[in-house]
Amino acid sequence: MPSLFVVEVHAVFGVLIVLTGLGYFYTWRRTRQKTTSNPDFKRFQYIYLIGYLLAFFADWLQGPYLYRLYEHYGFVPVSLSVKRCCVCSV
């Protein structure tokens, strides 16, 4: 049987997922009529998305090397995982 902490964490994440879904649906309904059909803006969005995904992928690739670098300086792997989660969530 899972501990009470595990049940509470799952409950909190479940509530957050439902609230996020409701917020997305509410926002989507209100902005659906306001979408633009300007081809220059659509092109800008596409170019921005490509650049964003490339930067995100590059950050993802450097993760293992950062772990090795921090381990070289004496950090414990568990503290590195917590640090990485905190940095990525901001």
Side-chain angles (χ1 to χ4, degrees):
M1 180 166 184
S3 69
L4 185 60
F5 176 73
V6 173
V7 173
E8 289 173 351
V9 168
H10 283 94
V12 168
F13 278 117
V15 168
L16 289 175
I17 288 171
V18 169
L19 289 176
T20 302
L22 289 173
Y24 175 77
F25 178 71
Y26 177 73
T27 306
W28 174 76
R29 243 188 30 200
R30 293 184 68 204
T31 60
R32 185 174 45 186
Q33 297 88 10
K34 299 177 186 178
T35 58
T36 181
S37 60
N38 184 352
D40 291 333
F41 184 68
K42 292 287 186 182
R43 184 172 180 269
F44 168 73
Q45 282 182 320
Y46 181 71
I47 291 171
Y48 183 85
L49 180 65
I50 290 172
Y52 176 80
L53 290 176
L54 284 172
F56 190 78
F57 182 68
D59 182 54
W60 179 76
L61 282 177
Q62 77 177 355
Y65 298 106
L66 284 177
Y67 279 104
R68 294 292 292 168
L69 179 68
Y70 286 139
E71 283 178 353
H72 175 74
Y73 287 119
F75 285 91
V76 180
V78 173
S79 67
L80 295 176
S81 299
V82 172
K83 177 192 168 298
R84 185 77 173 162
C85 288
C86 292
V87 168
C88 289
S89 65
V90 173

